[in-house]
Every structure is written in C-alpha cells, then in structure tokens.
Amino acid sequence: MSISILAGLPPRSELLRSDSVVIGRAAEVDLILGHPEVSRRHCRVLFEGGEWFIEDLGSQRGTAVNGKRISGRTALRSGDQIQVGPVTLAFGVGSDESPGAAELVNPLGTVLYMGKPTADIPLGSDLIFGRSDEADVVLSDPVVSRRHAMIESGPKGYRLLDLHSKSGSFVNGRRFDEHDLVIGDQIQLGPFFFIYDGRRLVRVRRLSVGRIIAIGLTRHGDNGPILNRAGFVAEPGQFIGILGPSGAGKTTLLDALSGLRPAESGKVRFDQTDLYKNLGQLRSLFGYVPQDDIVHSDLTVTEALTFAARLRLPAGTPRPEIVKLVDHTIVSLGLADRVNLKIGRLSGGQRKRVSVGVELLSRPPLLFLDEPTSGLDPLAEFKLMELLRHLADTGCTVICTTHVMENVYLMDQIAIVSDGRVVFQGPPEEARSRFGVIRLSSLYDALQSIESRALPSFEPTLPGEPDHDAPAPAPLTTNRRTFSLPILLQRQLAIFKADPKNLIILLAQPIIIGSLVAWAASDPQLDQFFAYLATLWFGCSNSAQEIVKELPIYRRERLVGLSRWSYLTSKFVWMASLTASQSLLLYATIAVGKFGVHGNFQWQIIGLILLALAATGIGLTTSAFARSPMQAVMLVPLLLIPQILFSGFTVPAKDMTPPVLNLSQIMPTFAAQRIADVSFLINQKISGALAQNYPIAYLNINDWVRSRTGERLKTGTVYREIRPVWVACGSLSLWTIGGFICSYWLLGRKERG
C-alpha cells in the first residue's frame, strides 16, 4: 500500500513499509511532512486484522478523512483523502495498484486570470481567488473553495483575507483569517503556491527547497583533510546544529553545504538537483550569515536594512513596500526600540540580529549561519537561538554551526563533527544515549576519550538517484536587481554623512596643505608640483583601504547577486569625486594664497582631475591587492616615493639617463608634470626671461622638442605645441583604465577568500 501527497507540499509517493507509520514534521517520524502547520507527531497509519486504520496523535490542527475530522481510530480505504493540517494525502494512490494516481495527483492545476492561464497575477484592484468561474483568479482544483480568499488594497498596502474556505489559507506556513502582505510572503491556497513581491503574486512550484543530502564531502588543507567523506541530511523546515570541537571542520562543512567554498569531491543535492553544477541558479534559495557581524557600523539599523533590501529586491519594487518589509523585519528581530541607533553602538547580540536580519529581508527558504552565538552572553544567545527556532517553524530550513550546548534542545537535529567526519546526526536526545552522556555539555569530553577512528561515519544515501542530474528548480524569488550603482552610491553618501568628522577632514586636508604651500613656496612651478603630488596622495590614501576593509561585506552581497562591476564602479566614482574635489579645493587655496595663478589654469585643472582619476585607480588596485587595511596603508608610501623621484621635477628630464627617462615617462606624476610644463609655456614668447621664470618647464619642454626635431626652442617664437599635453592626458587615462581593470581582476580573485 502507498500514500501520496496531493496538495500542500511538493508531490511524492511513499510505500508503507511497516504496519505502523507515524506521519509528522519531526525528523524521526516515518513519513516526514515538512510544513510548519503539521505537528511533529501528527497522526499514525497502522495495519491490524487485515485492515488499515488512521488515528490522530493529539495534533494541533487535527486530522480529517474525506473532509471529516476524526476523533479516534478510523478505517481507511484505497482512494481516501487524508487532511493532515494543510497537507492533503491520498491513501492507496501512487503505486502500480492504483492506476488513477495520475489523475488525482495534479499539483500543477491551472491558474486563470482574466480568463487566461498565467503565472503572474498583477495587483491593483480587489481580487477574489477561488474555484468558481465567477472568481477573478480561478484556481482549478477541488481542494480550493468556490470563493477561497480575497486580496484587497488599502492605505497600508495589500491585505489577504480568507473567505471561510474549507481547506484554509496559509501565509508563511501559518493559517490566517486576515494578513497584511509583506514582500516575500509565501502564500498557499490549496495546492497553489505564490510569492508576493510587492507588486504582484508570482506562482511557484513549491515554497521549500526540498530535501538536502550531502555525501562524501572531502576537502584538504595544508596539514591533511579538513573534511573526510562527510555526510549530511536536512529536511525542509528543520533547525539543525553542526556541533564539534574547534578545528573539527564545522565551518568547512557549512561552506561546502552552502556552496560558498565547494568541497573538492562529493555531492550536495537539493532534491535531485546537483548544487555545485547549478550554483548560479540555486544561489537565490539560501542566505548565509558569517561568524563576524558584517554590516556597516556607521549606519543606523533602519538605514542598513533598507539599503540591504534595495540591493536584494528587484528593480521597480515600490518604496512603501520596502519600508514595510524593513519595519516588519526589525520588529521580528526585537529591535523596534533601536531603529535609529548606529549599529556600532548596539550590543553584540543586537548586532548579530541585524546581521541575521540582512538575510531575512529576501525571505530565503534556507539559511546558513556560522557560529551565530559566538561572543554573546547567555541571554543574547538564547534570544538568537529562539529567533532561529521561530524561523524554522515558519518553514525556513536553518543550519548553523555552534560549539555551545545549552540551547540545542531548540533544534530538531544535531550533526556532530569530529576530525572532518560527521560521526552522528539525529535528535539531541538520541545523541546522549549514543555517546553515553547525561548532559550534552559533556559530549566534547566523551569525544576526547573515544578514539575518533572508532566512531562510524554518518553516511546518508541518495534514494532513487537519477541517471542524470535534474535541472535546477526555478528560484523562489523574482529576478534580482542587476544594476545597483545608484543604490551603492547612496549608501556611500549615507556612510560618509554618518560621521561629521568625515566632512571636516575632507575639507581640512586640502585647505591646510594648500595654505602651507602658498605660504612656504615662492616658485609657481613648485606650487604645481605640490598640487599634483598632494592629489596623488589624496587619491591613493582615500582608496587604499576602501575595498579591503569592506571585503567581507562585498563577499556576502556578492552571494545574493551583487554585480562586481556595480560595486567597483561605485567605489571608483565615489573616491574619484572626493579626490577631485579635494584637488580643486587645494588648487583654489593656493591660488587665493598667491593672489592668482601662473600659467594656463584650464590645463592645470584638467591635469589635476585626470591625476585624481588615475590615483583612485592605483589606490583601489592597492586595496584589492592588500590582505588587510594595515598592509594597504603600508603600501601607499612605497607607491608615492618613486612618483617623486621620477616626476621630472626633482630630477629634470634632461638630467635623466635613458633607462631612467624611459621608466619616468610611464609614471603618472611625469604626465602631470608634463601638463604643468606646457601650461606655463603655452602661448608665451620664448625668451630668456621665460626660461628664468619657469626653468623646469623650459628645460623639460626644450628637451622634448629637441628629442623629436633635433632643434631647441627658438627665441622670439610663440610656443603653441600642445601635443605633449595630449600624450600626458592619454597616459593618465591609461593609468585610470588600467587601475580599474586590475582592481576588478584582483577583486574577482578574492570573492571567495
């Protein structure tokens, strides 16, 4: 005899292989129904005296047969429909002895809107959902009532109302009468599943990622295997902890399961889909919370979550819906009284909850967390674990690493890792008897006393493994945003404005340096030298730490689809704008201090702006290359000092040997000096007074003319040759483009650490 899922969960059939089959949500039951409205031990199907019976096990939602709720043991006949909470089962359907199974199992019933089949239902006016032809959205399945549910619009957005339907309506796995929709809400009406994206309902095949199975995961480190043929299983809606002593391989296993750092060998499957072969398509199914609190500490809770939501949600999502989503997430995190507080001023537990909240914005059906309770006090740890338990109860599969045992009773299962192997996976209560300990806090001592090689490995199997991999399932969310540059720039501005000292420093640097140059230097050529040297320093120092200090945040956002091009372009545009602004302010300060400027100021300003762009590219390359902010800071002087030596000012070009001159000619400061040289001579009559007033410029340009024509600058002629300027501008442009390309390539190499 067999039993099949008709509605409420992805369809499948199971043979009843014993005389007593317990059905429920818990991992230890015989038939697992991963729906939060199904009790852990919901009902039992048993065979006695040649007949099949069913009995309810005290479930919260009760059990019904053919629409009638049962109170005791009830006989079953082939073809009976069993209602287990929101899940409809067909008894005796799905095996070879039931030829009508194909007609009964129809999880892809038709959705009609405006009389046409559709997967997208736009929202605007009020809509009635039901089986009747008079409904606005017709759901063709007998489980759906004639008038099942209604969506109405109001001043606060859209509200979903159940119209006293027989099988009930569910949002995020919970039955409701009225519910205000929030972006990401998962709606179930009979066997039909929808996701609300702020503008419409999008039909999906399922609301869970199905079963996750990993077998034979192996990864090697410098001192041997970190993972040694590790196995793992997770059912939908479970809360599973990966436990083990330090260095056991917990984080490596988590990274392998999530695809963040795939195992060198072995398989991870979501149902019948290979994770590693379909990582790009499956990435939207999960969220990943690293051990560190990777959020911008200068932003408030509301700002951080709002920018995170805008980056994760599709373009065109209405702003009021984003605000509602952020407010809903803040309330669920228990941070309603901290909305306007900077994250850097929150407690450790509150920062961790914000970090979790960033991932919850996209409502992932699968959430990975690496040591989420690390560094938290016992109360904060309990509140966070309680939050994760609540998430699992809403249908989200939660998998986290931890070494703390006090709150494992909140978990459905624990997986114990030792020497890179999963030596146990099952309910926490079973672990106590397995390792002979009274309290799980004694487990680590027991592991040390047991020879690890004597412990058998947990080795799941792949039931019904196909000959070839199934295609990746459609993502549960709609298409993510692909162009994020405006949002990233707005976030840069918000971070900059968060601390008034940033503006003070930005303005003070060029004003102080410019004032000192105007006061101490008497040579206009020296003024220009200091101006472009300071510009190079501004650009390199501003950008040198920008990528490396945000690398963990970038890696996290890259997992949810952030474009590397958008991220790097936002950094380049922002840093280049700051550097150019400082450069122009420095130039203006020197000009005011000297009561004017010498030479052609248009070319001088163009040269400084182009150098600001080139310096930004150099700084970002340095930041993408460095392994830490400190290392980036130490590299800046190493880059700047050669620029002074090979600029053509401290050592004029005519005094350089050919090898030195060849090296100098590719330097950005040499190009900036060449533009400054031309700015002093352009449209000026060549004379002894000109050579005396601008000796460096005269010598450099005279050497350039002689190298190309074999003649010197002719006295009495007006200098009009601007070819050196165009060459210099081209050189600075190449430095800018090259810096962007190098930083783009280096950033790509660091995406996964």
Side-chain angles (χ1 to χ4, degrees):
M1 188 61 68
S2 64
I3 196 166
S4 300
I5 298 177
L6 295 184
L9 283 174
R12 74 176 193 268
S13 295
E14 299 280 351
L15 291 177
L16 303 181
R17 301 182 184 276
S18 68
D19 294 343
S20 178
V21 176
V22 177
I23 301 173
R25 195 181 79 246
E28 61 269 17
V29 302
D30 303 299
L31 177 58
I32 299 174
L33 301 179
H35 196 293
E37 285 292 307
V38 175
S39 297
R40 296 177 61 82
R41 291 172 57 86
H42 198 106
C43 60
R44 177 188 289 114
V45 175
L46 64 159
F47 185 76
E48 286 186 358
E51 291 190 76
W52 286 95
F53 298 90
I54 186 170
E55 60 182 3
D56 187 76
L57 298 179
S59 65
Q60 183 178 3
R61 291 293 180 186
T63 306
V65 176
N66 298 325
K68 296 181 180 180
R69 185 160 180 166
I70 64 173
S71 57
R73 184 173 294 187
T74 302
L76 287 175
R77 300 289 182 269
S78 180
D80 282 348
Q81 291 196 12
I82 306 169
Q83 198 78 25
V84 181
V87 181
T88 302
L89 307 176
F91 180 72
V93 173
S95 65
D96 294 339
E97 63 192 64
S98 304
E103 287 74 19
L104 286 172
V105 182
N106 183 25
L108 299 179
T110 305
V111 175
L112 298 177
Y113 174 71
M114 304 291 289
K116 298 180 180 179
T118 184
D120 293 347
I121 303 172
L123 300 180
S125 58
D126 295 349
L127 295 176
I128 301 292
F129 294 74
R131 193 177 75 249
S132 170
D133 293 338
E134 298 176 358
D136 301 301
V137 181
V138 179
L139 308 178
S140 58
D141 192 278
V143 177
V144 178
S145 299
R146 295 181 61 81
R147 288 171 54 89
H148 196 103
M150 174 182 180
I151 289 183
E152 62 178 15
S153 59
K156 295 184 179 180
Y158 296 103
R159 169 171 288 194
L160 182 60
L161 301 91
D162 183 74
L163 300 179
H164 307 291
S165 62
K166 184 176 181 181
S167 59
S169 304
F170 298 83
V171 172
N172 304 323
R174 298 295 180 187
R175 192 163 185 163
F176 70 94
D177 292 322
E178 295 183 4
H179 176 80
D180 291 325
L181 289 175
V182 179
I183 292 175
D185 275 346
Q186 302 174 356
I187 302 167
Q188 177 185 342
L189 306 175
F192 299 91
F193 304 98
F194 304 91
I195 289 181
Y196 173 64
D197 71 356
R199 298 173 297 170
R200 57 183 178 164
L201 296 185
V202 181
R203 188 186 181 190
V204 292
R205 292 176 61 93
R206 62 176 65 182
L207 296 178
S208 66
V209 297
R211 197 182 196 206
I212 303 169
I213 302 180
I215 57 171
L217 298 182
T218 302
R219 187 175 181 86
H220 291 83
D222 296 335
N223 299 319
I226 307 175
L227 289 181
N228 185 10
R229 299 193 59 78
F232 186 86
V233 174
E235 301 290 345
Q238 285 188 331
F239 181 17
I240 302 178
I242 301 176
L243 284 70
S246 298
K250 302 187 297 296
T251 298
T252 306
L253 175 60
L254 189 78
D255 291 347
L257 293 172
S258 66
L260 181 63
R261 295 179 180 86
E264 296 167 355
S265 61
K267 292 183 178 181
V268 179
R269 289 187 178 273
F270 288 1
D271 286 335
Q272 299 297 340
T273 304
D274 190 296
L275 168 65
Y276 295 161
K277 292 181 180 179
N278 300 277
L279 189 57
Q281 298 94 314
L282 294 172
R283 189 172 270 171
S284 64
L285 297 176
F286 61 83
Y288 185 93
V289 181
Q291 182 173 350
D292 298 327
D293 302 328
I294 301 178
V295 282
H296 290 95
S297 60
D298 290 328
L299 297 178
T300 65
V301 173
T302 299
E303 288 174 333
L305 293 179
T306 299
F307 282 118
R310 293 177 63 193
L311 287 172
R312 284 161 170 75
L313 297 175
T317 302
R319 188 61 63 89
E321 294 294 333
I322 295 178
V323 172
K324 187 161 60 171
L325 171 64
V326 170
D327 292 344
H328 173 81
T329 304
I330 289 174
V331 170
S332 68
L333 294 172
L335 297 173
D337 58 341
R338 296 289 189 270
V339 291
N340 296 318
L341 200 63
K342 289 185 179 180
I343 292 173
R345 298 179 59 187
L346 298 177
S347 68
Q350 291 168 341
R351 286 197 303 273
K352 182 65 70 175
R353 276 184 273 168
V354 174
S355 187
V356 174
V358 168
E359 296 301 329
L360 297 185
L361 291 166
S362 56
R363 315 289 283 272
L366 177 60
L367 184 63
F368 294 98
L369 305 99
D370 186 16
E371 295 284 0
T373 60
S374 176
L376 301 186
D377 60 75
L379 179 60
E381 175 193 325
F382 171 75
K383 287 184 176 180
L384 181 60
M385 298 296 277
E386 193 176 41
L387 171 64
L388 299 180
R389 174 70 266 171
H390 172 71
L391 288 175
D393 289 339
T394 62
C396 177
T397 304
V398 180
I399 302 173
C400 74
T401 63
T402 183
H403 60 276
V404 180
M405 297 290 190
E406 283 75 8
N407 296 306
V408 295
Y409 68 90
L410 295 171
M411 300 175 178
D412 296 300
Q413 287 197 345
I414 58 175
I416 299 175
V417 182
S418 179
D419 292 333
R421 296 185 301 122
V422 177
V423 296
F424 170 82
Q425 183 175 347
E429 298 79 7
E430 187 178 324
R432 285 201 289 264
S433 59
R434 172 72 178 274
F435 292 95
V437 295
I438 299 176
R439 301 181 60 187
L440 281 176
S441 56
S442 305
L443 179 62
Y444 292 156
D445 292 335
L447 287 174
Q448 291 180 352
S449 62
I450 300 174
E451 178 65 33
S452 61
R453 294 180 181 178
L455 295 172
S457 296
F458 175 73
E459 296 183 355
T461 58
L462 293 174
E465 183 175 4
D467 296 332
H468 55 84
D469 294 324
L476 301 189
T477 56
T478 54
N479 293 331
R480 295 175 185 264
R481 186 185 301 268
T482 57
F483 184 69
S484 307
L485 180 58
I487 301 172
L488 294 171
L489 288 174
Q490 291 171 24
R491 186 172 69 179
Q492 287 283 164
L493 179 61
I495 294 171
F496 181 78
K497 290 167 56 179
D499 189 350
K501 292 181 181 178
N502 292 330
L503 181 60
I504 295 173
I505 294 173
L506 177 72
L507 297 176
Q509 283 181 330
I511 291 175
I512 293 174
I513 295 174
S515 300
L516 292 175
V517 170
W519 177 57
S522 58
D523 183 356
Q525 297 175 111
L526 190 59
D527 295 342
Q528 286 300 305
F529 173 71
F530 283 129
Y532 70 67
L533 196 63
T535 298
L536 185 65
W537 176 70
F538 289 151
C540 289
S541 60
N542 288 343
S543 306
Q545 298 185 62
E546 198 62 24
I547 291 178
V548 67
K549 73 179 182 181
E550 281 194 0
L551 194 58
I553 295 178
Y554 168 74
R555 285 174 177 159
R556 182 178 188 177
E557 293 178 340
R558 189 79 174 98
L559 285 175
V560 296
L562 176 65
S563 163
R564 191 195 322 169
W565 183 90
S566 292
Y567 177 81
L568 189 60
T569 302
S570 72
K571 291 296 180 186
F572 184 87
V573 171
W574 178 254
M575 290 297 124
S577 299
L578 291 184
T579 303
S581 300
Q582 287 182 295
S583 175
L584 295 178
L585 184 56
L586 173 71
Y587 184 85
T589 303
I590 296 174
V592 171
K594 290 298 183 70
F595 303 102
V597 296
H598 292 260
N600 185 292
F601 75 92
Q602 293 97 331
W603 282 121
Q604 292 171 0
I605 289 176
I606 290 174
L608 290 177
I609 293 176
L610 289 176
L611 183 60
L613 300 178
T616 301
I618 295 171
L620 290 177
T621 300
T622 303
S623 189
F625 173 79
R627 295 185 177 180
S628 67
M630 179 61 70
Q631 192 177 91
V633 170
M634 295 171 64
L635 286 172
V636 171
L638 188 61
L639 295 171
L640 292 180
I641 292 176
Q643 300 301 321
I644 299 174
L645 296 175
F646 301 113
S647 64
F649 182 85
T650 53
V651 180
K654 73 177 187 63
D655 295 333
M656 294 180 180
T657 62
V660 175
L661 181 60
N662 292 335
L663 177 62
S664 299
Q665 287 174 341
I666 65 174
M667 294 293 179
T669 50
F670 189 91
Q673 179 63 40
R674 186 53 54 86
I675 295 175
D677 292 339
V678 172
S679 74
F680 290 122
L681 301 187
I682 193 72
N683 297 326
Q684 299 291 321
K685 183 181 291 186
I686 303 300
S687 64
L690 184 66
Q692 186 176 4
N693 291 334
Y694 309 110
I696 299 296
Y698 181 86
L699 290 174
N700 285 339
I701 296 302
N702 186 56
D703 184 69
W704 183 84
V705 171
R706 186 171 55 184
S707 67
R708 280 155 179 76
T709 66
E711 298 179 356
R712 299 168 58 87
L713 290 171
K714 294 181 180 180
T715 303
T717 61
V718 177
Y719 182 78
R720 302 186 186 280
E721 179 62 72
I722 62 170
R723 192 183 309 169
V725 172
W726 294 121
V727 173
C729 289
S731 176
L732 291 175
S733 298
L734 288 176
W735 272 98
T736 302
I737 296 171
F740 187 92
I741 292 174
C742 287
S743 55
Y744 184 90
W745 177 71
L746 290 169
L747 184 59
R749 297 191 62 182
K750 287 194 171 183
E751 283 182 359
R752 294 194 176 184

